[in-house]
Amino acid sequence: MQKIKSLMARQGLKSPQESMADLSPVENFRIPSKEELRELRELPVDPQAEQEIINSIEEVYYSNDSFDVMQHELEKLPPELNLQELEEYRDKRKRQQAAVSKKVADLILEKQPSYVKELERVTSLQTNLQLAAVICTNARRQLSVSKEGFTEASLGLLANQRRRQLLTGLLKSLRTIKTLQRTDVRLSEMLEEEDFPGAIQLCLECQKAASTFKHYSCISELNSKLQDTLEQIEEQLDVALSKTCKHFDVSHYTKVQLAYTLLGKTQTAMDQLHMHFTQAIHNTVFQVVLGYVELCAGNADTKFQKMQYKDLCTHITPDSYVPCLSDLCKALWEVMLSYHRTMLWHEEHDKEKNAPTPITDEAGASETDDSLVDRSYVKKKLEHGLSRIWQEVQLKVKAYLLGTDMSNFKYDDFIVVLDVISRLIDVGEEFCGSKSELLQESIKRQSVNYFKNYHRTRLEELRMFLENETWELCPVKTNFNIAQLHEFRFMGQCRSPSVSPSRQVLPGPGPEDRSLFEQFSREGNPFERQIDNKEEETENVLASNGYESDELEKSVYQDYDSDSDVPDELKQDYVDEQTGDVPLKSASRETLRSRKKSDYSLNKGSAAPILTNTTLNVIRLVGKYMQMMNILKPISFDVIHCVSQLFDYYLYAVYTFFGRNDTYESSGLGLISSRLRTTLNRIQESLIEMVGAAQPNAAFTDRKEKVPSPHLSQLVDLTASGTLFGLAQRVVATESLVFLAEQFDFLQSHLDSMMPGTKKPFLQQFYSQTVSTASELRKPIYWIVAAKAIDYEQMLLMMAGVKWDIREIMSQHNIYVDVLLKEFEEFNQRLSDVSKHVRIPLPVSNVLWEHCIRLANRTLVEGYANVKKCSNEGRALMQLDFQQFLMKLERLTDIRPIPDKEFVETYVKAYYLTENDMEQFIKNHREYSMKQLANLVNVCLGSHINKKARQKLLAAIDDIDRPKR
């Protein structure tokens, strides 16, 4: 640095600071004149070169004003100075300065108009400021004059007036504060009167007034007191809201809702309401069950009050179960009815609010928007709460249902339970459209458990009844119909098979389409059981004794025989409500009348149905099963399966008692059809427990569902010939089974409507393979009577003593024909005697006569086949005997044609056949035994068949018999 200064001194130069100091401030910052600027612009400089020069200037020279340029340049000097380099460097800087100066001059000339305009604005501003200074000076002078013009007396007067006004305002404030202090008494009175809207309105007004006087120290305490009072009002309001959950009152609920609206807590109120409903359900069911448990316990033990509801339900006794369930549902109904009426209140309230009203200002529009939001929230909350409330009800009732084992309940009690739950399910469907899966599942579980035990007991009872049954006729009226039985009343009280019988005990003030909530909105309860009329309990189905004439009986017991109490739809055939079809098979009144006209002609008695006490019990049992199935659809298949077992067991018992006889079953006459044989085998394998049979452990469960085979009562004698070997008992047993099958046909449409679609093939198979076979039991049962009623062996012996190889044609028949006809006359007489005690229907008499005639004809063929020698005249005598038999027989019976008539005639005429015709006869008529065919060939030997032909025919007979061996 010293070197630079010494060099500058030698050359007579000054330092930059000294040079600047010599310049005046104006010269130092002088702006080039217009001429200089013009000269600078007129310098012929290449713009691109000029821009390059400007760009070559270092960035540091464009920094802030605190930057020291000279210091920067001196610091850049090298240690060894060279004059030539310094001059070149200086020239470079001058060129840069010239370029910058020219650029600045160009910019100044470019901005010259703006500069002039701004300068004019500054001049105008200076003029305005001078005017303002003059105004301020005048104002100060006038204020000074005014100050001197007023006196102290005038200002004192104004001060007193102001003080007076302040004291007047203070007095009003003190009076208001005094009134506020006394509002707590009025608030207490309003709360006692449950005038919640008025209390809240008053409290809010007091708070508003208190906020106006909050600058007073006493108001802070009053504010705190009012806030406590408002909280107390909210607490009492919450209690009042909870009361509406059990007993809804419109005026009370209106006050509560208005109060919450004033508080601005409509949504909070709805949340609290749902919580109260849930709590009300819990408290209600707990108190009901607790009351019954403590009543049955008989002591003041408080341990029950500390139990959980689910555990408490397990202490309900069977005797108190039904009334407790009824009271439980009644209490829950009150809660749901309150919720339903709450929703109705809000719906009506919304309709009133939706009425068009003019909106005067923005505040009114904002209030309307808030109201719409609240109403939308309340509506959604209430709709969502329906399912929540019903779910809570289901859970409580489910816990009660599953808390007790109902397997040993009485049938009537269990039906009441099913009926109550069915009604509750109906209530749930109307309440929120729910299918009540929880209730359905729980009652189904209890029903299956109960029904298995109940059905097992009923099967044992049925076995006991069958083993003690003497098969005496149970006298019923001629117009007896199962719809007259109390167990089947539900079929007339239900409009269709799919409707729950809960409707049958409901009072119906109004059209049937009214909902339960409409019917019982003001009074009553759908769970209040109606005591049936005593007249309805009485069943006029038994016939009176001592009157053999229907007309006489009707004249004496006209009211008793009247069916005016039976609905019209039950007087007709059963009509399917869904299709309107009338089943082809029914036990209608017309059928009963026609049956009377077509009965066995010897019967002069009543045409009433033939049934026993056991049959009536089975029918009643079927009615009870159907009641249970009608109420509880999910177990309908299980119930129908058990109903089929009742019929199966009755059919098997009748067959076992009266139709099982190996001797006659092997007669080859097809007495038991393959379908009946299959049915009997199925029943024996699936239902009958064979005594002494080895049972594996795995089959223990199956054994529980099987019943031992019944045994015929020792009081029933089937061996006495005087009673036609128990024909009366056989008729009663068989025809009662047929009557039972007719009743099942009558119920088929009803059962089919309640059967699940996937299980309907079972019902169809049951009817086609079991019910329809009932009448087929007539053949094997009455065959035994027919086989014993006539002495066929005696006839064979008498036929063996007849000489058939006579040489002349006889005009007189043989004595065995008269003996046989005498047997038939005695049979007819004994049949008439039996019919005096038991009506013998026409199908029964036809079967009996058919069996006897068929056996007699086969005995004739067997007698003819025992003949060793026979001539043509002998064959003619055979035909004479048979024609005599037919002629006299047709006088005794109305059966046409005579059974097996061709069987005898064809055999007798076969004697006249040639060899070839005989061979064809043997191949075509396999209904004859080998012995009968062989005897036919042997008797014909010598007359028109030689020995060779005989051997050929016997060989043909042997070929036919070989596959059978």
Side-chain angles (χ1 to χ4, degrees):
M1 181 64 69
Q2 293 299 328
K3 292 179 180 180
I4 295 173
K5 289 181 178 181
S6 62
L7 180 61
M8 292 174 65
R10 286 197 300 270
Q11 295 182 358
L13 300 174
K14 295 180 180 181
S15 65
Q17 289 84 352
E18 293 172 348
S19 300
M20 294 296 294
D22 293 342
L23 297 173
S24 64
V26 177
E27 291 176 344
N28 195 8
F29 297 100
R30 182 174 63 85
I31 298 173
S33 63
K34 291 183 178 181
E35 290 76 8
E36 291 174 345
L37 291 173
R38 188 179 295 110
E39 290 175 357
L40 287 172
R41 293 183 65 184
E42 290 175 357
L43 290 176
V45 179
D46 184 9
Q48 183 175 2
E50 185 182 85
Q51 187 64 36
E52 290 179 356
I53 293 173
I54 292 174
N55 292 340
S56 66
I57 299 175
E58 298 178 13
E59 292 290 336
V60 70
Y61 292 103
Y62 297 106
S63 60
N64 53 23
D65 296 338
S66 63
F67 176 67
D68 190 352
V69 178
M70 295 165 207
Q71 182 69 23
H72 176 68
E73 291 294 336
L74 290 176
E75 288 177 355
K76 288 174 61 178
L77 293 175
E80 295 294 334
L81 298 176
N82 189 334
L83 183 59
Q84 184 179 358
E85 291 179 356
L86 288 175
E87 289 178 351
E88 292 177 357
Y89 183 73
R90 183 189 63 187
D91 294 338
K92 178 182 177 182
R93 290 291 184 228
K94 284 183 178 181
R95 287 192 299 271
Q96 291 176 345
Q97 183 182 12
V100 172
S101 298
K102 185 176 184 303
K103 186 69 174 178
V104 171
D106 292 339
L107 293 174
I108 289 173
L109 290 177
E110 183 180 349
K111 302 295 183 178
Q112 182 67 24
S114 300
Y115 167 74
V116 174
K117 185 177 180 181
E118 189 66 27
L119 186 60
E120 291 175 354
R121 290 179 61 195
V122 170
T123 303
S124 174
L125 179 62
Q126 184 178 4
T127 303
N128 292 336
L129 289 175
Q130 290 174 353
L131 179 60
V134 173
I135 293 173
C136 289
T137 302
N138 293 334
R140 287 178 180 178
R141 186 168 54 252
Q142 291 176 1
L143 284 174
S144 178
V145 173
S146 298
K147 182 177 181 183
E148 293 175 357
F150 283 100
T151 62
E152 292 182 359
S154 299
L155 293 175
L157 184 62
L158 292 174
N160 290 335
Q161 179 64 22
R162 180 174 178 272
R163 187 181 297 109
R164 179 183 178 183
Q165 290 177 349
L166 290 174
L167 290 175
T168 303
L170 178 61
L171 181 60
K172 292 181 179 179
S173 299
L174 291 175
R175 288 175 179 172
T176 304
I177 292 173
K178 183 179 180 181
T179 304
L180 291 175
Q181 293 286 357
R182 295 178 178 177
T183 53
D184 56 342
V185 178
R186 179 55 185 158
L187 285 173
S188 299
E189 293 176 355
M190 297 177 80
L191 289 178
E192 290 179 0
E193 297 170 359
E194 292 189 347
D195 184 9
F196 300 108
I200 292 174
Q201 186 73 32
L202 179 60
C203 192
L204 291 177
E205 291 176 356
C206 290
Q207 281 189 331
K208 184 178 180 180
S211 64
T212 306
F213 305 106
K214 62 182 178 181
H215 49 280
Y216 297 106
S217 59
C218 62
I219 291 298
S220 61
E221 181 180 351
L222 179 62
N223 254 334
S224 176
K225 186 177 181 181
L226 288 173
Q227 186 62 34
D228 293 342
T229 303
L230 191 59
E231 293 177 358
Q232 181 183 358
I233 293 175
E234 289 188 24
E235 291 177 359
Q236 295 192 22
L237 191 59
D238 189 59
V239 174
L241 183 65
S242 66
K243 293 179 180 179
T244 63
C245 296
K246 293 184 179 180
H247 303 287
F248 183 86
D249 182 76
V250 175
S251 60
H252 178 78
Y253 187 75
T254 304
K255 290 181 181 180
V256 173
Q257 282 297 321
L258 180 58
Y260 273 110
T261 303
L262 292 173
L263 290 174
K265 295 183 176 182
T266 304
Q267 298 184 11
T268 304
M270 196 50 53
D271 296 337
Q272 288 292 107
L273 181 63
H274 281 81
M275 184 186 70
H276 288 315
F277 267 106
T278 303
Q279 189 66 28
I281 291 173
H282 174 75
N283 293 340
T284 299
V285 298
F286 187 84
Q287 290 301 323
V288 171
V289 176
L290 178 63
Y292 276 92
V293 170
E294 291 180 343
L295 181 64
C296 296
N299 53 37
D301 194 351
T302 59
K303 67 176 183 178
F304 297 117
Q305 298 180 357
K306 300 178 182 179
M307 285 186 176
Q308 295 292 328
Y309 171 75
K310 188 175 182 180
D311 298 330
L312 192 65
C313 292
T314 60
H315 290 78
I316 291 290
T317 60
D319 293 337
S320 62
Y321 188 88
V322 172
C324 181
L325 176 63
S326 179
D327 289 345
L328 194 67
C329 291
K330 289 178 184 178
L332 290 173
W333 162 260
E334 295 297 335
V335 176
M336 289 187 286
L337 179 61
S338 296
Y339 194 90
H340 178 76
R341 296 183 66 184
T342 301
M343 291 193 67
L344 291 180
W345 185 92
H346 281 279
E347 289 177 2
E348 295 175 359
H349 186 68
D350 289 346
K351 290 179 181 178
E352 296 175 0
K353 291 292 184 180
N354 289 332
T357 54
I359 299 175
T360 57
D361 53 10
E362 295 181 358
S366 176
E367 183 179 353
T368 303
D369 293 340
D370 293 340
S371 177
L372 286 174
V373 172
D374 287 342
R375 278 184 283 160
S376 176
Y377 178 84
V378 169
K379 183 178 180 181
K380 292 180 180 178
K381 191 74 175 179
L382 287 171
E383 290 175 352
H384 179 67
L386 283 172
S387 57
R388 288 184 54 193
I389 296 297
W390 179 241
Q391 185 75 3
E392 194 70 23
V393 170
Q394 285 191 88
L395 290 173
K396 298 302 181 185
V397 178
K398 176 184 177 182
Y400 183 82
L401 287 175
L402 300 181
T404 303
D405 182 11
M406 292 188 280
S407 60
N408 295 316
F409 272 32
K410 296 178 181 178
Y411 172 81
D412 291 338
D413 290 342
F414 190 74
I415 285 295
V416 172
V417 172
L418 291 184
D419 185 51
V420 170
I421 298 302
S422 177
R423 286 184 243 175
L424 185 61
I425 291 173
D426 290 343
V427 170
E429 186 170 358
E430 291 187 8
F431 185 67
C432 62
S434 171
K435 297 301 181 182
S436 307
E437 290 81 3
L438 290 177
L439 284 179
Q440 294 275 12
E441 182 60 31
S442 56
I443 197 63
K444 178 181 179 182
R445 191 192 312 176
Q446 284 284 30
S447 298
V448 171
N449 183 33
Y450 172 82
F451 194 73
K452 286 183 178 179
N453 184 69
Y454 180 79
H455 179 62
R456 175 68 187 180
T457 305
R458 299 291 81 76
L459 281 178
E460 290 291 344
E461 287 182 358
L462 179 58
R463 181 171 71 92
M464 180 186 67
F465 286 148
L466 290 170
E467 290 182 345
N468 290 277
E469 179 64 66
T470 57
W471 303 102
E472 296 291 338
L473 187 66
C474 177
V476 294
K477 297 195 303 181
T478 56
N479 66 341
F480 170 73
N481 188 290
I482 62 171
Q484 298 168 357
L485 297 177
H486 176 70
E487 287 79 5
F488 292 91
R489 290 287 172 88
F490 73 94
M491 292 176 60
Q493 289 159 338
C494 293
R495 301 304 302 170
S496 68
S498 60
V499 175
S500 170
S502 62
R503 307 288 186 188
Q504 63 187 341
V505 293
L506 300 182
E512 294 182 359
D513 57 352
R514 292 177 60 193
S515 67
L516 294 173
F517 289 98
E518 292 175 348
Q519 295 180 38
F520 302 100
S521 60
R522 297 300 176 188
E523 60 181 359
N525 194 297
F527 298 98
E528 293 177 353
R529 297 185 60 213
Q530 301 283 330
I531 300 177
D532 294 336
N533 196 332
K534 185 176 180 181
E535 293 181 0
E536 294 181 356
E537 290 288 347
T538 304
E539 297 174 342
N540 298 332
V541 296
L542 298 180
S544 58
N545 295 324
Y547 295 94
E548 295 188 9
S549 169
D550 287 343
E551 290 74 18
L552 188 59
E553 179 183 349
K554 182 175 181 181
S555 64
V556 179
Y557 291 99
Q558 186 165 2
D559 294 337
Y560 183 80
D561 194 29
S562 174
D563 58 355
S564 60
D565 58 333
V566 180
D568 292 337
E569 59 189 51
L570 295 181
K571 296 177 183 178
Q572 304 172 359
D573 292 343
Y574 177 75
V575 179
D576 191 340
E577 293 288 345
Q578 297 178 352
T579 63
D581 296 335
V582 179
L584 295 178
K585 298 179 179 179
S586 65
S588 64
R589 294 163 57 89
E590 288 74 12
T591 305
L592 296 175
R593 294 193 189 100
S594 62
R595 180 190 301 160
K596 180 177 179 180
K597 295 178 181 179
S598 61
D599 280 346
Y600 179 58
S601 59
L602 294 179
N603 176 37
K604 304 299 182 182
S606 171
I610 297 176
L611 67 159
T612 66
N613 288 326
T614 303
T615 315
L616 202 56
N617 286 332
V618 172
I619 294 174
R620 291 183 186 275
L621 202 54
V622 171
K624 292 181 178 180
Y625 281 25
M626 290 181 64
Q627 283 185 33
M628 192 179 304
M629 175 174 54
N630 203 39
I631 296 175
L632 196 63
K633 302 296 188 302
I635 66 166
S636 57
F637 172 71
D638 300 312
V639 177
I640 291 179
H641 177 69
C642 293
V643 169
S644 69
Q645 288 186 342
L646 295 176
F647 187 86
D648 288 346
Y649 195 70
Y650 194 90
L651 183 146
Y652 187 82
V654 171
Y655 167 74
T656 304
F657 292 167
F658 303 103
R660 176 178 286 175
N661 192 306
D662 295 337
T663 302
Y664 301 111
E665 286 181 11
S666 60
S667 61
L669 297 177
L671 298 177
I672 298 182
S673 65
S674 59
R675 183 176 62 166
L676 179 58
R677 173 61 61 193
T678 301
T679 298
L680 293 172
N681 290 337
R682 177 189 60 78
I683 296 174
Q684 182 171 326
E685 292 174 1
S686 62
L687 188 61
I688 305 302
E689 180 182 349
M690 305 307 294
V691 180
Q695 296 286 349
N697 295 332
F700 179 74
T701 304
D702 295 337
R703 289 182 59 191
K704 291 176 64 176
E705 298 181 357
K706 292 187 176 183
V707 188
S709 179
H711 301 285
L712 183 63
S713 172
Q714 296 180 355
L715 299 177
V716 180
D717 184 11
L718 301 179
T719 59
S721 60
T723 61
L724 277 180
F725 307 96
L727 177 61
Q729 288 81 2
R730 294 177 189 272
V731 169
V732 171
T734 308
E735 299 313 304
S736 66
L737 175 64
V738 174
F739 177 78
L740 184 61
E742 291 176 353
Q743 307 315 303
F744 269 81
D745 288 332
F746 173 74
L747 299 172
Q748 183 176 2
S749 298
H750 196 88
L751 294 174
D752 186 73
S753 65
M754 293 187 290
M755 179 68 100
T758 57
K759 302 294 185 179
K760 287 189 177 183
F762 168 82
L763 186 65
Q764 296 171 357
Q765 184 179 14
F766 168 68
Y767 270 90
S768 63
Q769 297 186 7
T770 304
V771 176
S772 61
T773 60
S775 59
E776 296 180 11
L777 276 180
R778 286 170 171 164
K779 285 188 176 182
I781 291 176
Y782 297 135
W783 173 267
I784 297 175
V785 176
K788 295 181 178 180
I790 295 177
D791 191 355
Y792 302 102
E793 294 296 331
Q794 179 188 2
M795 187 172 63
L796 283 176
L797 292 175
M798 294 182 67
M799 291 179 68
V802 176
K803 183 177 178 61
W804 301 103
D805 55 345
I806 57 178
R807 295 302 177 185
E808 58 182 8
I809 296 178
M810 304 295 292
S811 60
Q812 180 65 29
H813 59 273
N814 285 305
I815 190 63
Y816 73 86
V817 175
D818 296 329
V819 174
L820 180 59
L821 290 172
K822 183 66 175 177
E823 290 274 351
F824 272 101
E825 291 175 358
E826 292 179 359
F827 169 75
N828 191 22
Q829 182 60 42
R830 284 186 289 176
L831 201 60
S832 177
D833 295 339
V834 172
S835 68
K836 294 178 182 179
H837 302 285
V838 176
R839 179 174 63 87
I840 300 180
L842 181 61
V844 176
S845 63
N846 288 342
V847 170
L848 283 169
W849 277 101
E850 180 182 351
H851 283 339
C852 289
I853 296 171
R854 194 181 300 276
L855 284 170
N857 286 335
R858 291 181 177 270
T859 303
L860 288 174
V861 172
E862 186 66 21
Y864 295 154
N866 291 332
V867 175
K868 302 298 183 182
K869 294 180 180 181
C870 182
S871 61
N872 291 336
E873 291 78 6
R875 288 294 176 183
L877 181 58
M878 291 180 182
Q879 290 180 342
L880 177 63
D881 292 344
F882 186 63
Q883 291 302 322
Q884 180 68 18
F885 171 69
L886 291 178
M887 182 180 64
K888 296 290 184 67
L889 182 64
E890 288 175 352
R891 298 176 184 176
L892 297 175
T893 180
D894 295 330
I895 294 181
R896 299 293 184 276
I898 298 298
D900 281 354
K901 175 182 177 183
E902 294 79 5
F903 184 78
V904 180
E905 292 177 343
T906 303
Y907 186 81
V908 173
K909 293 177 181 178
Y911 176 79
Y912 304 104
L913 298 177
T914 62
E915 176 184 346
N916 294 333
D917 293 337
M918 180 69 74
E919 183 177 1
Q920 191 64 33
F921 176 86
I922 292 171
K923 292 180 180 179
N924 294 336
H925 293 274
R926 300 192 179 186
E927 65 271 21
Y928 300 105
S929 66
M930 298 302 105
K931 172 190 172 185
Q932 293 169 350
L933 292 175
N935 181 267
L936 188 62
V937 173
N938 291 328
V939 170
C940 292
L941 178 64
S943 59
H944 54 279
I945 296 179
N946 54 32
K947 291 185 177 180
K948 183 177 180 181
R950 173 178 174 272
Q951 294 297 329
K952 180 181 178 181
L953 293 174
L954 291 177
I957 295 173
D958 188 66
D959 292 339
I960 295 174
D961 187 50
R962 187 175 295 111
K964 299 180 182 180
R965 296 199 296 262

